[in-house]
Amino acid sequence: MFSYFLIYKPFGMLSQFTREGDHATLADLEFTFEKDIYPVGRLDADSEGLLLLTNDNYLKTKLLEPRNRHRRTYYVQVEGEMTKEACVELESGVKISINGKTYLTLPASASQLEVPSLPERNPPIRFRKNIPTSWVSITLHEGKNRQVRRMTAAVGFPTLRLVRWAIGKINLADFGADGAKPGDVWEVTDQEVRKLLL
């Protein structure tokens, strides 16, 4: 019997159950998972948001296989006022460095975003009085290491806060009447998970 869980991974938590240094892990969530449940992909410790956990290896393979171009949407707070020109650059593909090699990102979707309704980050991001911040929504069909951060930096807007808002058609707004908050866990059905593949 397969099980599927979505979590709102908090800032500072590793996307794994194994201890590593002083970081919190998925084992610190207020939920007990079966031993064969593992995350599909990962979010860096300094990123937050939607993460899928399952024991369905077929689904894991399907979602992680690059040629399937699985869709993920991120809400990104950046330093400076994001411009339409920068969004066009992000959509067209930008050159970033991956393992010391230049990589041209695949075409993406990027648009300026009003300040989204998200829980405050703990700890909060550092604010500088003289430097404004803004938000952008970026949808990728690939998942290179720290890709979103490298992309926004490449167009002149360093990332301050990174939240994975959606996996496929499932997003954080789908869960919780009062809105999702870091540390939340939801068990979902295979029918709901099929939305991920659309």
Side-chain angles (χ1 to χ4, degrees):
M1 186 73 175
F2 295 133
S3 299
Y4 308 92
F5 301 92
L6 289 166
I7 70 166
Y8 187 145
K9 188 193 84 67
F11 176 84
M13 179 177 282
L14 298 177
S15 299
Q16 61 193 46
F17 289 97
T18 311
R19 292 277 164 217
E20 193 175 302
D22 295 330
H23 281 290
T25 71
L26 300 175
D28 293 305
L29 293 169
E30 292 182 6
F31 192 91
T32 303
F33 296 96
E34 295 295 323
K35 296 290 186 192
D36 62 346
I37 300 292
Y38 291 98
V40 178
R42 62 192 294 276
L43 282 171
D44 295 321
D46 52 359
S47 301
E48 51 191 300
L50 206 54
L51 188 64
L52 173 69
L53 287 78
T54 185
N55 55 359
D56 183 343
N57 288 324
Y58 173 76
L59 179 69
K60 281 186 206 171
T61 303
K62 184 107 175 159
L63 294 179
L64 295 176
E65 173 56 56
R67 69 170 177 252
N68 290 332
R69 303 194 67 186
H70 173 59
R71 201 169 71 241
R72 310 161 189 87
T73 299
Y74 301 86
Y75 285 178
V76 193
Q77 187 176 19
V78 297
E79 198 172 86
E81 292 284 0
M82 176 58 69
T83 64
K84 288 182 180 176
E85 292 77 15
C87 288
V88 169
E89 282 187 71
L90 291 169
E91 291 192 321
S92 302
V94 294
K95 289 180 179 176
I96 60 175
S97 177
I98 301 290
N99 298 325
K101 296 179 180 176
T102 300
Y103 175 76
L104 180 64
T105 61
L106 293 176
S109 297
S111 58
Q112 294 163 299
L113 186 67
E114 291 294 319
V115 177
S117 179
L118 292 168
E120 289 295 317
R121 199 186 80 175
N122 184 21
I125 66 160
R126 58 176 178 77
F127 277 105
R128 292 202 220 147
K129 287 182 181 176
N130 300 328
I131 301 178
T133 69
S134 57
W135 287 83
V136 58
S137 172
I138 300 176
T139 299
L140 302 180
H141 296 90
E142 58 182 338
K144 302 294 183 186
N145 184 38
R146 299 182 75 79
Q147 180 170 345
V148 172
R149 294 175 190 280
R150 295 175 198 270
M151 288 175 69
T152 66
V155 297
F157 295 92
T159 291
L160 298 173
R161 185 180 181 189
L162 179 59
V163 181
R164 184 191 280 159
W165 174 253
I167 303 173
K169 290 188 175 179
I170 295 177
N171 65 56
L172 287 175
D174 292 334
F175 302 96
D178 299 322
K181 59 187 184 299
D184 281 351
V185 179
W186 308 273
E187 186 163 10
V188 291
T189 65
D190 57 347
Q191 288 92 348
E192 287 173 302
V193 167
R194 282 193 195 111
K195 280 175 148 185
L196 294 169
L197 301 175
L198 299 176

